[in-house]
């Protein structure tokens, strides 16, 4: 009896664990109601694999797992086509042998799959086949997706070919186990300079990638440690073994200086025959250990990395020397187009970082070997909240290209903010570069369709980590999912991707699907609204952590992310007529549209033009009023997300419900910090007041510096706009107190305490109202700063507190380490009943 209880207890714990997010969209939770009944009737209970291989073995195991989960029935396995309904897996050749009625019209492209129902002798066979083993695996996942989404599976006739031939993810993992711009914990691949002993998460990642059609994963940072090509090849081989059953090949980032740093040569000049010989023998060694290595990624002459400029050589010389080495093995070289000068003179109005990719690569068109792909970031700067499509996409006709998208949310709130990136990606993918007249969208150029290139596609910087949520935010998984779905089929709508992901990730509840989908779909605009609208770029600390607000961090330095806001106006003049000329890098039809503010889309106005604050947008608003309004809209929208999510409490498992609620509540506080910072900054710069009188007036807010302080002292915050009134209070003693008398109306209120949570201590706070303790908390979040600034500014919300005029509101702070229990302000807001 006791044993049974323990077992039941474990089962319960297991059930809770199942909702950590680790299974992502592959949870396979039992279907319900009619959908379950229908699936039980139509999904065969036998699986036959006609081809034996590790990958097809994964397909079979996955189908078993999925059927067990979705319909609570484990299929039987048969080695030949049985005399009963069955799911039959195999390559096309094997299916053709077993079914004489199999007549494929055209040969299948690599990785394509077919799902087809064949009826024979009164039995129904659900055929899952592909051109290669990987295609069969993709077909199995597609079948499971259909079952999970409750789509009919008894009459299938579907043939699916990936739109993008190349579908890669890059991980920026360092060998010590950290991840550059990773927010989901430590590397799943690396630990203390070696591959992890336990690579089980790598296999799980391979499964996620396979389910969305990703076929190659590069496993180390593009800021590559040269040691990856020396002692670590056996480690790479182990990682490749863990991914291979999922049809995912490994690729590596290489340091272009390797022939010198680890190869013992005195040069890495790409035109030196000794350097070519070194890369050749290195490639031979790599492919001996990992015969299916996808290829190498190169970041050269960029952000301090060495490159061909050291010898006066071109990027084509650099790419080709490595490409020739991997060519005999069928390998690809991804050469990153992210090359720019970060020491530019900001005083020169003709200087412009946005020009860099085109200026560096367009003239080299035609000089790259056929197994080189130039990997181009979606926008000309660097994954900002809104950028036009890079003009380089339209300039390369005789060079393979891939579009690089960032799945990890570096400039998008670093997994602390919900931002669903699919609508943004689609905007770029669908943008017509007019490269051969109209009808040449970026997706077609990247895929190599426009100029009939042999290779090309999409690369996503994914950066998953060891956290159960993979990203540090459950909702960020939707971006990886969406990336894969778009690489497979860029014509899927954002709506359908969001809905599909939500249903697979959280279940079928109608309200839930509607609410979460709406939140996802509006989230990019919302984030843009409170961080940097109209093409201002993300107004963050661009020389620091890329996270909190810092409006001037972009200015007066060599990094070239200037918005050039001053007393008269704002925006970067990139016109041909008077500016840096960037707009001239586009084909004439596009460049004409961007050149005139009258035809330039408002969303990109300040990216492309410098205009006075009073410039009137297409919707009739002035630029300055739009900046004010969008920030208030954005911050309000996040508060609404919190309420929307709260309405789903009963419909989501506790763990994910709680995690997402905490994330959204935090985001709501941060959005307000952004709102106040950007609006007051622009108010001060422009001198134009907010027509709606909100900026600079905060009803119910009491600045900490104006409270009665015991022990606390007033401190100026840098940058000034990141704290209300530019000031905060901090405690240099063992404990301090700040208090004031409430003078508003009587009734229930929400109290918001805006405090600072740095990552160099765990200060403690207590909030007392009229002598009663109403809340206590520890500031122990791990935000990316040690300073008092917009990144550490954090909101604590306490609702339902009865307040009467004259009540004392008092905060006690106890510092810890470098964290001085700092406070910005307290706000009281009447609760709505
Ligand atoms: O956006 C910048 C990031 C760097 C990154 C670089 C790149 C890997 O801040 O962390 O380096 O882009 O894409 O190479």
């Amino acid at each position: 009896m006791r044993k049974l209880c323990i077992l039941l207890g474990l089962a319960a714990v297991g059930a809770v664990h199942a909702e950590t997010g680790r299974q992502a969209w592959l949870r396979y939770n039992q279907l319900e109601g009619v959908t379950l009944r229908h699936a039980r009737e139509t999904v065969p209970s036998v699986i036959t694999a006609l081809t034996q291989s590790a990958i097809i073995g994964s397909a079979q195991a996955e189908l078993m797992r999925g059927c067990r989960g979705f319909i609570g029935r484990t299929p039987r396995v048969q080695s030949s086509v049985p005399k009963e309904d069955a799911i039959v897996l195999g390559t096309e050749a094997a299916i053709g042998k077993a079914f004489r009625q199999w007549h494929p019209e055209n040969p299948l492209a690599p990785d394509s799959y077919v799902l087809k129902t064949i009826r024979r002798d009164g039995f129904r066979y659900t055929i899952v086949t592909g051109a290669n083993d990987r295609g069969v695996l993709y077909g199995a996942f597609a079948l499971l997706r259909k079952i999970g989404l409750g789509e009919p599976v008894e009459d299938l006739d579907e043939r699916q070919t990936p739109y993008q031939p190349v579908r890669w993810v890059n991980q920026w993992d360092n060998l010590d186990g950290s991840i550059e711009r990773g927010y989901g914990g430590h590397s799943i691949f690396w630990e203390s300079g070696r591959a992890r002993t336990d690579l089980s998460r790598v296999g799980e990642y391979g499964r996620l990638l396979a389910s969305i059609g990703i076929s190659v994963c590069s496993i180390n940072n593009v800021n590559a440690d040269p040691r990856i090509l020396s002692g670590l090849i056996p480690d790479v081989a182990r990682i490749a073994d863990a991914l291979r059953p999922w049809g995912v090949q490994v690729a590596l980032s290489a340091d272009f200086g390797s022939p010198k740093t680890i190869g013992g040569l005195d040069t890495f000049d790409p035109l030196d025959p000794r350097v070519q010989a070194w890369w050749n023998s290195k490639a031979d060694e790599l492919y001996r250990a990992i015969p299916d290595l996808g290829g190498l990624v190169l970041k050269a002459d960029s952000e301090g990395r060495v490159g061909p400029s050291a010898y006066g050589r071109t990027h084509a010389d650099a790419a080709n020397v490595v490409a020739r080495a991997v060519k005999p093995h069928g390998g690809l070289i991804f050469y990153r187009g992210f090359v720019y000068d970060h020491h530019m003179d900001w005083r020169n109005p003709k200087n412009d970082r946005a020009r860099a990719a085109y200026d560096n690569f367009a003239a080299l068109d035609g000089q790259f070997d056929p197994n080189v792909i130039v990997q181009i970031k979606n926008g000309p700067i660097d994954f900002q909240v809104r950028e036009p499509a890079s003009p380089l996409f339209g300039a390369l006709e005789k060079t393979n290209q891939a579009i690089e998208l960032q799945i990890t949310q570096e400039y998008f709130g670093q997994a602390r903010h919900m931002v669903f990136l699919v609508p943004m990606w689609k905007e770029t993918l669908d943008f017509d570069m007019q490269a051969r007249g109209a009808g040449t969208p970026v997706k077609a150029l990247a895929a190599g369709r426009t100029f009939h290139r042999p290779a090309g596609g999409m690369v996503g910087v994914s950066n998953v980590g060891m956290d159960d949520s993979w990203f540090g935010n459950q909702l960020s998984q939707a971006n990886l999912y969406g990336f894969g779905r778009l690489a497979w089929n860029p014509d899927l709508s954002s709506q359908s991707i969001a809905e599909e992901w939500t249903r697979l990730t959280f279940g079928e509840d109608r309200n839930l699907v509607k609410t979460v989908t709406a939140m996802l779909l509006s989230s990019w605009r919302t984030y843009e609204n409170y961080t940097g609208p109209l093409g201002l770029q993300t107004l963050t600390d661009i020389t620091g952590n890329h996270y909190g607000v810092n409006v001037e961090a972009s200015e007066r330095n060599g990094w070239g992310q200037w918005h050039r806001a001053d007393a008269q106006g704002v925006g970067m003049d990139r016109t041909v007529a008077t500016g840096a000329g960037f707009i001239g890098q586009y084909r004439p039809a596009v460049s004409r549209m961007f050149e005139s503010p009258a035809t330039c889309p408002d969303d990109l106005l300040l990216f492309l033009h410098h205009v006075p604050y009073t410039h009137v947008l297409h919707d009739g608003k002035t630029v300055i009023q739009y900046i004010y309004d969008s920030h208030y809209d954005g911050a309000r929208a996040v508060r609404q997300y919190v309420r929307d999510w709260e309405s789903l409490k009963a419909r989501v498992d506790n763990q994910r419900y709680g995690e997402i609620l905490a994330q959204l509540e935090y985001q709501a506080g941060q959005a307000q910090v952004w709102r106040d910072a950007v609006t007051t900054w622009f108010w001060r710069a422009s001198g134009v007041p907010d027509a709606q009188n909100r900026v600079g007036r905060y009803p119910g807010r009491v600045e900490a510096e104006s409270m009665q302080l015991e022990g606390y002292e007033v401190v100026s915050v840098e940058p000034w706009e990141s704290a209300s009134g530019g000031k905060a209070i901090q405690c240099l003693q063992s404990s301090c107190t700040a208090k004031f008398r409430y003078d508003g109306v009587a009734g229930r209120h929400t109290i918001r305490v805006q405090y600072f949570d740095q990552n160099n201590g765990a200060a403690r706070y207590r909030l007392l109202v009229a002598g009663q303790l109403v809340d206590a908390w520890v500031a122990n979040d791990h935000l990316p700063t040690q300073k008092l600034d917009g990144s550490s500014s954090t909101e604590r919300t306490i609702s339902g507190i009865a307040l009467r005029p004259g009540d004392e509101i008092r905060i006690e702070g106890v510092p810890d380490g470098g964290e001085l229990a700092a406070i910005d302000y307290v706000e009281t807001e009447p609760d709505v009943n």
Side-chain angles (χ1 to χ4, degrees):
M1 187 61 197
R2 196 150 167 237
K3 203 162 165 197
L4 183 66
C5 289
I6 292 172
L7 280 179
L8 287 173
L10 282 177
V13 170
V16 173
H17 272 302
E19 298 296 326
T20 57
R22 188 154 153 182
Q23 304 299 331
W25 52 86
L26 300 178
R27 295 150 67 238
Y28 302 148
N29 274 23
Q30 180 140 357
L31 302 171
E32 285 167 18
V34 193
T35 324
L36 175 61
R37 266 205 314 281
H38 189 73
R40 284 213 166 120
E41 280 158 21
T42 55
V43 177
S45 15
V46 177
I47 299 185
T48 298
L50 298 179
T51 312
Q52 303 306 318
S53 77
I55 295 177
I56 293 184
S58 298
Q60 175 175 319
E62 196 65 23
L63 282 166
M64 310 258 294
R65 182 174 176 171
C67 291
R68 197 159 48 230
F70 283 141
I71 51 186
R73 188 174 68 199
T74 308
R76 269 178 301 119
V77 175
Q78 295 268 353
S79 52
S80 56
V81 180
K83 290 262 172 250
E84 60 186 308
D85 293 358
I87 299 174
V88 183
L89 302 174
T91 53
E92 236 199 330
I95 298 289
K97 262 194 218 149
F99 293 90
R100 253 175 291 130
Q101 57 272 70
W102 184 260
H103 295 302
E105 311 97 70
N106 299 306
L108 286 172
D111 300 349
S112 309
Y113 65 82
V114 174
L115 300 178
K116 192 170 171 66
T117 306
I118 291 188
R119 292 174 200 275
R120 187 169 80 184
D121 305 335
F123 303 119
R124 187 166 48 82
Y125 300 107
T126 306
I127 310 291
V128 181
T129 187
N132 48 4
D133 292 3
R134 194 146 66 193
V136 178
L137 177 61
Y138 293 166
F141 276 113
L143 180 60
L144 284 166
R145 189 162 55 233
K146 282 182 188 298
I147 298 172
L149 294 172
E151 291 171 16
V153 295
E154 61 269 46
D155 260 312
L156 293 169
D157 190 3
E158 182 175 323
R159 178 192 173 103
Q160 284 262 356
T161 302
Y163 185 96
Q164 301 291 353
V166 162
R167 303 170 310 282
W168 285 38
V169 288
N170 288 175
Q171 288 274 147
W172 289 349
D173 296 31
N174 298 315
L175 304 181
D176 65 3
S178 62
I179 305 178
E180 182 158 346
R181 318 298 177 190
Y183 313 106
H186 288 286
S187 171
I188 62 171
F189 302 105
W190 306 102
E191 186 177 44
S192 314
R194 300 297 306 264
R196 279 182 178 276
T197 321
D198 175 2
L199 291 173
S200 47
R201 286 300 290 271
V202 174
E204 289 177 39
Y205 187 36
R207 175 172 171 253
L208 293 185
L209 294 176
S211 76
I212 49 172
I214 304 296
S215 61
V216 182
C217 173
S218 73
I219 57 170
N220 65 310
N221 194 348
V222 289
N223 291 326
D225 186 327
R227 287 174 303 172
I228 189 79
L229 296 184
S230 53
L232 291 174
I233 294 177
D235 296 56
V236 176
R238 279 188 55 228
I239 294 172
D241 290 346
L243 289 171
R244 194 170 291 114
W246 298 103
V248 178
Q249 295 162 249
V250 150
L252 296 176
S253 297
D255 178 48
F256 192 65
S258 297
K260 192 168 168 186
T261 41
I262 58 161
L265 301 183
D266 58 3
T267 178
F268 56 91
D269 178 355
L271 296 192
D272 187 315
R274 291 171 302 151
V275 170
Q276 180 71 69
W278 186 86
W279 281 111
N280 291 350
S281 85
K282 186 50 73 181
D284 294 345
E285 182 190 349
L286 278 171
Y287 279 89
R288 262 197 308 279
I290 311 129
D292 56 352
L293 185 80
L296 298 175
V297 186
L298 285 175
K299 173 177 177 179
D301 276 331
S302 165
E303 298 185 331
R305 313 295 306 172
V306 298
S309 67
Y311 302 94
R313 310 300 186 203
T314 69
H315 294 296
D317 297 331
N320 293 345
V321 66
V322 192
R324 284 166 198 163
V326 297
K327 180 165 183 257
H329 310 283
L332 294 173
I333 293 305
F334 283 74
Y335 195 91
R336 296 182 82 233
F338 185 60
V339 177
Y340 68 100
D341 172 11
H342 63 276
H343 298 289
M344 260 185 310
D345 182 2
W346 58 272
R347 292 172 200 84
N348 181 348
K350 297 289 174 197
N351 281 348
D352 184 6
R353 168 166 166 189
R355 297 185 56 109
Y358 181 102
D359 284 348
N360 278 294
F361 287 88
L364 298 175
D365 191 26
Q367 296 180 33
F368 292 93
D369 279 9
N371 62 329
V372 174
I373 296 178
V374 177
Q375 179 169 325
I376 308 166
K377 288 192 184 188
N378 59 294
I381 298 280
D382 188 7
F383 302 135
Q384 298 300 294
V385 68
R386 191 181 288 267
E387 295 185 47
S390 172
L392 188 55
F393 295 123
L396 300 178
E397 299 187 7
K398 299 188 274 301
T399 305
N400 304 321
Q401 52 174 284
I403 179 170
E404 178 179 318
L405 301 171
Q406 205 185 35
I407 298 163
T408 190
Q409 292 170 229
E410 176 180 358
Y411 285 96
F412 287 86
Q414 306 191 352
R416 298 282 181 158
H417 296 230
M418 164 187 63
V419 191
F420 181 54
L421 296 165
V422 166
M424 178 178 84
W425 294 337
K426 273 188 75 76
E427 233 173 75
T428 305
L429 290 167
D430 288 339
F431 185 79
D432 191 351
M433 300 298 294
Q434 311 255 6
R436 242 185 26 193
T440 58
V442 171
K443 60 189 172 196
L445 288 158
R449 293 182 175 208
T450 311
F451 295 110
H452 311 292
R453 299 299 313 160
M458 265 166 67
V459 179
V461 180
S462 172
N463 291 1
V464 301
M466 288 294 285
D467 282 3
D468 278 343
S469 69
W470 296 95
F471 289 97
N473 177 351
Q474 303 285 353
L475 298 173
S476 297
Q477 294 180 357
N479 290 325
L480 177 58
Y481 185 81
F483 171 82
R485 298 294 284 140
L486 282 181
W488 190 275
N489 179 2
D491 297 325
L492 292 172
S493 69
S494 300
Q495 166 94 27
S496 70
I497 294 175
E499 232 177 76
E500 212 177 87
W501 176 80
T502 305
R503 291 168 67 190
L504 296 170
T505 305
F506 291 109
E508 282 299 321
D509 182 281
R510 253 202 224 164
N511 243 311
L512 179 140
V513 173
K514 202 169 132 220
T515 308
V516 174
T517 305
M519 284 166 60
L520 291 173
L521 290 175
S522 58
S523 61
W524 170 41
R525 176 64 82 180
T526 294
Y527 185 78
E528 177 184 40
N529 276 344
Y530 65 81
T531 56
L534 300 175
L536 274 170
Q537 306 185 51
T538 319
L539 296 171
T540 186
D541 185 1
I542 71 120
T543 54
N545 59 16
H546 301 183
Y547 180 66
V549 59
N550 191 332
V551 181
E552 285 171 87
S554 52
E555 303 310 291
R556 295 177 292 284
N557 61 40
W559 288 92
Q561 291 190 226
W562 314 311
H563 52 63
R564 300 209 186 276
D566 58 21
Q568 282 74 46
V570 56
M572 181 73 191
D573 184 357
R574 295 191 155 107
T575 60
V576 178
T578 57
F582 162 79
I583 291 176
Q585 295 182 337
Y586 291 93
R587 302 278 178 143
V590 178
S591 132
R592 266 196 306 278
M593 187 244 313
F594 283 154
E595 179 79 5
S596 157
T599 47
C600 177
D602 285 345
D603 283 334
L604 288 170
L605 182 72
L606 304 180
F607 194 96
L608 299 170
H609 295 271
H610 186 82
V611 298
Y613 289 109
T614 49
H615 173 91
V616 178
L617 298 166
H618 291 104
D619 70 356
K621 260 185 206 176
T622 60
V623 163
I624 189 69
Q625 194 57 38
Y626 187 95
I627 292 176
Y628 297 147
D629 290 353
S630 66
H631 280 79
Y632 278 83
D633 289 349
R636 194 179 323 108
V638 189
R639 295 251 181 246
Q640 185 58 41
Y641 293 151
V642 175
R643 287 189 287 271
D644 292 347
W645 182 252
E646 280 171 341
S647 75
L648 303 176
K649 186 167 185 358
R651 304 165 201 261
V652 185
D653 57 286
N654 288 340
Q655 181 168 344
R656 289 185 304 168
Y657 173 78
E659 283 179 23
I660 293 173
L661 180 62
Q663 178 261 308
L664 290 171
E665 282 176 335
Y666 168 81
Q667 185 183 351
Q670 265 285 299
Q672 179 163 315
V673 173
W674 273 92
R675 178 197 76 185
D676 294 351
V678 176
T679 53
T680 49
W681 192 95
F682 277 96
W683 181 31
R684 191 188 273 193
S686 68
V688 183
D690 168 25
Q692 293 197 46
N693 243 324
R694 297 154 300 187
V695 179
R697 295 159 167 263
Y698 306 104
R701 181 177 299 187
V702 179
E703 296 292 344
E705 55 272 26
S706 64
M707 295 177 191
Q708 204 180 321
L709 307 178
E710 285 160 30
Y712 267 118
E713 47 186 67
V714 178
V715 57
S716 293
V717 174
E718 290 292 327
W720 64 267
E721 72 273 17
S722 63
S724 188
K727 292 190 167 37
I729 56 169
Q730 62 180 18
C731 177
L732 289 165
Q733 306 178 2
S734 57
S735 73
C736 299
T737 303
K739 58 187 184 188
F740 64 98
R741 295 238 166 251
Y742 172 73
D743 62 2
V745 294
R748 300 228 163 248
H749 283 74
T750 292
I751 302 182
R752 299 204 175 96
V753 179
Q754 196 71 31
Y755 66 103
F756 293 88
D757 190 344
Q758 300 124 262
N759 60 14
N760 51 354
R764 282 176 292 129
Y765 296 84
R766 279 154 49 94
L767 175 71
L768 297 95
V769 173
Q772 296 287 312
L773 181 70
V774 297
D775 195 21
W777 68 96
V778 183
N780 57 0
D781 204 340
H782 299 283
L783 295 160
T785 184
Q786 299 204 345
K787 298 189 299 189
L788 298 190
D789 58 17
S791 300
S792 54
S793 185
T794 305
E795 179 185 277
R796 178 82 180 180
T797 304
I798 310 106
S799 294
I801 304 296
L803 290 178
R804 283 161 313 179
D807 279 349
E808 181 192 80
I809 297 183
R810 171 191 170 96
I811 307 172
E812 296 170 2
V814 177
D816 176 64
E819 195 172 85
L820 302 177
I823 303 168
D824 189 1
Y825 59 81
V826 172
E827 255 176 26
T828 52
E829 190 191 335
D831 284 345
V832 270
N833 296 317

